[in-house]
Amino acid sequence: MKKKSFVLQKIKEYLSNKKFAIQRRIHPGIREQHRLDSLVGPRGYWNELQEYQLNFLKSKGMQSHHTLLDVGCGPLQGGIAFISFLDSNHYFGLDIRSESLVEAYKQVTRYDLIYKNPNLILSDTFGKIELNGQQFDFIWASQILYHLEPDTIHRFFEAVSLHLKPGAYLYGDIIGAPNKVVQDSHWNGFRFYLHSFSFMDDAAREHGLSMKHIGQIGDYGYPIAIALHTNDMFEFQKIRT
Ligand SMILES: C[S@@+](CC[C@H](N)C(=O)[O-])C[C@H]1O[C@@H](n2cnc3c(N)ncnc32)[C@H](O)[C@@H]1O
């Protein structure tokens, strides 16, 4: 019985992929959206994931006068909504891939948001070099921490602890349970790492950050049709000394 429903599921996925592949060939808009989706993850959820990202940070108190650093911003799935919402000069997005930032610039133009002066930064140091110690009210690390190997998680915390204002918040998610992700599998050349709570907590503390588990991303409007909705979300703050 289980095997039969698995096979049916696979056939459905195959037919849906085929249908989508044909639509993509015919319709330039669908092709363009597919290209953007493939730079951020699951295809077909751009608007929902954009809404989830903005609503999440608003629910945590982000207002238009706040400043935001979006780590691993990609082609601005969340970024476009953040830039629209925040005051001019208050959005900073950084990514390690120039390909994503090329798309990000195109999105800013497409949505007439140049007047907001978003700052898009190519960085493999989480901004440690490029941001020159600049501090933010919020730092957002959506769907990226599980692509960072343990040493890089340390480099990440080291950098973001420099970029958090006192009392400011960093949010980020790791793979939760149950999930279908296999340790060391890949997405777009990035490996998946299944970090434990205790590893994240120890690493954060080593770099002067406290960590609090605040539920799974599905609790905050991340589409439950995507397997990653069980990802665990954490809130980090500088430990007061
Ligand atoms: C799954 S996508 C998520 C994009 C975006 N945060 C979102 O939620 O829509 C992961 C992003 O992290 C970026 N990335 C991966 N490793 C990185 C690193 N070490 N530094 C900066 N960005 C990185 C990738 O290029 C990609 O754009």
Side-chain angles (χ1 to χ4, degrees):
M1 191 61 192
K2 233 178 170 181
K3 196 172 167 199
K4 195 173 160 197
S5 68
F6 177 78
V7 172
L8 277 175
Q9 177 64 24
K10 286 286 151 202
I11 292 172
K12 257 170 92 180
E13 274 173 25
Y14 173 80
L15 290 175
S16 150
N17 284 340
K18 270 273 172 253
K19 186 173 144 205
F20 191 66
I22 293 165
Q23 286 174 340
R24 232 162 53 220
R25 252 175 248 144
I26 299 168
H27 198 295
I30 294 179
R31 192 161 54 236
E32 170 64 8
Q33 190 56 54
H34 177 78
R35 221 166 42 76
L36 287 174
D37 284 358
S38 65
L39 289 169
V40 286
R43 127 174 102 70
Y45 293 96
W46 185 271
N47 293 338
E48 288 94 326
L49 291 173
Q50 183 165 80
E51 213 173 299
Y52 148 73
Q53 296 195 42
L54 180 63
N55 287 344
F56 178 89
L57 286 178
K58 279 167 77 174
S59 78
K60 296 298 172 192
M62 188 174 78
Q63 295 177 34
S64 57
H65 62 84
H66 286 129
T67 51
L68 170 67
L69 174 62
D70 185 3
V71 179
C73 62
L76 301 184
Q77 182 169 242
I80 287 298
F82 297 143
I83 295 165
S84 303
F85 175 74
L86 294 170
D87 293 346
S88 296
N89 298 304
H90 284 205
Y91 175 83
F92 287 68
L94 70 82
D95 206 282
I96 200 168
R97 276 194 310 198
S98 54
E99 186 194 356
S100 293
L101 292 183
V102 168
E103 293 306 325
Y105 279 111
K106 285 188 198 161
Q107 294 289 310
V108 172
T109 313
R110 181 176 165 202
Y111 289 98
D112 284 335
L113 287 168
I114 290 179
Y115 75 101
K116 285 285 183 99
N117 261 346
N119 295 272
L120 302 178
I121 299 159
L122 182 65
S123 174
D124 64 359
T125 65
F126 303 106
K128 192 175 167 194
I129 293 174
E130 299 81 1
L131 288 168
N132 201 20
Q134 182 162 354
Q135 295 193 319
F136 297 86
D137 297 303
F138 288 89
I139 300 183
W140 178 231
S142 165
Q143 313 251 274
I144 172 175
L145 299 181
Y146 48 84
H147 288 310
L148 306 181
E149 61 177 317
D151 280 356
T152 312
I153 287 282
H154 277 277
R155 285 201 297 112
F156 166 80
F157 282 133
E158 188 196 350
V160 293
S161 66
L162 298 173
H163 300 315
L164 270 181
K165 284 184 184 170
Y169 293 104
L170 155 69
Y171 294 96
D173 57 309
I174 62 170
I175 301 294
N179 71 77
K180 292 178 182 164
V181 177
V182 177
Q183 168 97 354
D184 293 340
S185 56
H186 286 77
W187 167 79
N188 268 2
F190 294 108
R191 263 160 95 158
F192 280 95
Y193 296 92
L194 304 181
H195 300 307
S196 66
F197 278 33
S198 62
F199 165 72
M200 294 298 290
D201 193 34
D202 290 348
R205 205 158 283 278
E206 209 173 293
H207 298 284
L209 300 170
S210 64
M211 178 178 111
K212 188 168 135 197
H213 181 236
I214 56 165
Q216 295 193 321
I217 60 177
D219 305 334
Y220 294 95
Y222 189 95
I224 52 166
I226 306 175
L228 294 179
H229 76 275
T230 59
N231 276 11
D232 289 301
M233 180 62 91
F234 297 101
E235 178 181 274
F236 303 89
Q237 269 197 304
K238 271 187 178 168
I239 297 167
R240 288 173 209 273
T241 48

